[in-house]
Amino acid sequence: SRYPEMPEAHYALGVAALVANDVPTAAGQADRALQLRPDWEQGAILKAQALRRSSPEAVVEFYRAFVERHPGSLEVRMQLGRELAGARKLDQAREQFRAAEKLPDKDAQAPYAIGLLSLQLDDFGDAQAAFTRALKLGYRDAAAIYLGLGQALEGLKRYDEAIEWYQKVESGDWVRAQLKVATLISRQQGLGAGREYPR
């Protein structure tokens, strides 16, 4: 109450209200924070979290409206992409991640997400290109990129290159990657060779 014109104060109250499951208060405080600072991404994400509790079908449209008003909003656009992907609107989700990737603040998560969505859309050339960009941007989980590149190249029927990427996976999905290698070796050299891998 001592800082009625400070958006951060309303944000803090909104977060506390959401934790207490007081959704109307959380939404109202998020609205007030956004009135004071209309382009504030954290305020928008808080509003969306409140909407998810009361009107989950409204979350995507709220995010859409926000990025239309504030097209440089990286985190909200990423959230919109995740919401669309969760709703199985894969092409629309990919377009949002493409838009996020073009923003000045480069985020390796955007091309990685494009790669995953492209795999699901059987767009293997685009997946390869996207995973390569994510790798160059220093995506935090290199093993996930290697696995994605292996899957993309396998989809492109470039099996030797796919095997090379799968063999780079040393953590996380190591077992899955090894099974992929054995399968590709079986396809190229016969079932016996696949069974022998990695001897």
Side-chain angles (χ1 to χ4, degrees):
S1 62
R2 293 168 56 192
Y3 304 98
E5 301 306 310
M6 182 181 288
E8 292 84 356
H10 294 283
Y11 175 83
L13 287 169
V15 170
L18 198 62
V19 170
N21 206 31
D22 182 353
V23 177
T25 298
Q29 292 297 330
D31 286 337
R32 183 61 182 141
L34 288 169
Q35 286 172 359
L36 294 167
R37 189 173 163 190
D39 64 344
W40 194 23
E41 293 189 81
Q42 289 306 309
I45 291 169
L46 175 61
K47 172 68 175 184
Q49 289 172 334
L51 279 173
R52 188 180 306 288
R53 304 270 186 96
S54 60
S55 306
E57 72 284 351
V59 172
V60 167
E61 287 314 308
F62 170 75
Y63 277 147
R64 279 193 199 278
F66 190 88
V67 297
E68 283 175 12
R69 291 192 304 273
H70 310 288
S73 301
L74 174 63
E75 189 51 42
V76 170
R77 196 174 289 280
M78 295 285 288
Q79 290 290 345
L80 175 55
R82 294 180 187 112
E83 292 288 337
L84 291 166
R88 303 301 299 165
K89 297 178 179 177
L90 304 184
D91 278 317
Q92 293 180 39
R94 186 167 63 167
E95 287 312 306
Q96 292 301 326
F97 287 118
R98 287 196 201 285
E101 190 179 10
K102 293 175 184 173
L103 294 175
D105 296 328
K106 294 293 182 187
D107 185 337
Q109 183 67 41
Y112 178 70
I114 293 168
L116 291 178
L117 290 164
S118 295
L119 284 180
Q120 293 182 66
L121 291 163
D122 292 337
D123 188 350
F124 300 115
D126 190 71
Q128 181 197 6
F131 286 130
T132 300
R133 294 194 303 274
L135 192 61
K136 287 179 180 175
L137 286 170
Y139 184 72
R140 65 182 182 274
D141 184 358
I145 296 285
Y146 300 156
L147 186 68
L149 281 166
Q151 290 173 298
L153 287 158
E154 184 178 348
L156 292 168
K157 303 190 186 324
R158 290 157 57 182
Y159 300 132
D160 288 339
E161 293 173 75
I163 288 170
E164 288 178 18
W165 284 109
Y166 286 141
Q167 287 177 330
K168 287 178 181 285
V169 177
E170 295 179 350
S171 60
D173 286 310
W174 182 84
V175 172
R176 184 179 173 196
Q178 294 303 305
L179 288 171
K180 289 276 193 181
V181 172
T183 300
L184 290 179
I185 288 173
S186 295
R187 184 176 295 170
Q188 292 178 293
Q189 301 174 30
L191 192 57
R195 284 176 174 165
E196 289 296 313
Y197 180 82
R199 293 179 193 172

